[in-house]
Amino acid sequence: MVSSPGATGSPAVPRPGGRTGRVRRQVLDAVRAELVEHGYDALTVDTVATRAGVHRTTVYRRWRDVGGLLADVFDTAGDDAWQPPDTGSLRGDLLALNDEVLAALTERPPATMALIAASFRSEEAARALGRFWEDRYARCEPVVRRAVERGEVPSGTRARPLLICATAPLYHRLVLMRMPAEPGLAALAATSAVLAASAGAFTGPESGDA
């Protein structure tokens, strides 16, 4: 979901400043840069410390290892003020979401893709990415709630399965298949999800949630 875990430009929730906050920003920026330029296998506490311009013991003391560094990158990505779009229609909202997903997955340098790939190599990073997705799905629930209120989809439509249906084709093609997005893919996925939702595909027992 969006904004992406690799993004650094979203408005952030204020954090404590001072030297501690500055060092954290330097270190996490260094993690992203090293990951994009050299990949997970070359990512070490030492390379991050050198790039960030801080002593290695500072990094070891706070983050312990690469897993801790990556987890903090994901956790920091959730400290923004992002909210889902409100275009006035479910299809418009889902298309706007998909446009953001597409932008994140095709950004250059490919920070989001590099972070997602790294999450398959680190259990700690994978758990942190899971927290990021949980946060994004929760923030996107108003998209479906508004659609129910407008009468676009049936009462009882479950938000998460609908959102997954709308965005999954992008992740499947770009992340899993490593292929470029087809023209119109974002719109097709959004439209397909709306048609399925309007037909009642996402109502029913919550046990079916992904």
Side-chain angles (χ1 to χ4, degrees):
M1 201 64 58
V2 284
S3 60
S4 76
T8 58
S10 300
V13 174
R15 283 186 167 274
R19 182 178 183 279
T20 298
R22 185 174 64 255
V23 167
R24 188 185 188 206
R25 287 191 296 273
Q26 291 173 201
V27 169
L28 298 187
D29 285 347
V31 173
R32 296 184 190 94
E34 285 291 317
L35 190 62
V36 168
E37 293 179 17
H38 305 295
Y40 178 87
D41 289 327
L43 186 67
T44 68
V45 167
D46 287 354
T47 59
V48 168
T50 298
R51 185 166 196 137
V54 301
H55 200 280
R56 62 197 298 269
T57 57
T58 299
V59 181
Y60 277 113
R61 184 168 58 249
R62 175 159 184 168
W63 290 278
R64 301 183 314 280
D65 54 24
V66 166
L69 287 165
L70 289 169
D72 202 21
V73 170
F74 286 120
D75 288 338
T76 302
D79 292 337
D80 61 12
W82 181 86
Q83 293 297 322
D86 185 357
T87 67
S89 73
L90 177 59
R91 183 186 182 280
D93 289 352
L94 295 178
L95 178 55
L97 285 172
N98 276 357
D99 284 342
E100 291 190 36
V101 171
L102 186 60
L105 295 179
T106 58
E107 66 186 346
R108 291 293 179 270
T112 296
M113 291 287 277
L115 283 164
I116 292 174
S119 73
F120 287 93
R121 306 286 299 279
S122 163
E123 285 296 324
E124 193 169 359
R127 289 192 296 271
L129 180 56
R131 292 192 295 270
F132 175 84
W133 295 136
E134 289 289 340
D135 172 72
R136 286 305 190 256
Y137 283 125
R139 294 196 204 190
C140 286
E141 287 179 0
V143 167
V144 179
R145 186 165 60 248
R146 292 192 298 258
V148 171
E149 292 169 354
R150 289 190 295 259
E152 295 178 277
V153 295
S155 176
T157 296
R158 291 171 290 131
R160 181 174 300 194
L162 194 165
L163 292 163
I164 289 174
C165 178
T167 58
L170 279 70
Y171 288 101
H172 183 269
R173 185 171 179 86
L174 278 74
V175 179
L176 298 182
M177 297 181 68
R178 295 298 183 100
M179 296 175 66
E182 300 168 308
L185 175 62
L188 176 61
T191 301
S192 298
V194 171
L195 291 173
S198 63
F202 306 117
T203 60
E206 294 187 2
S207 61
D209 281 358

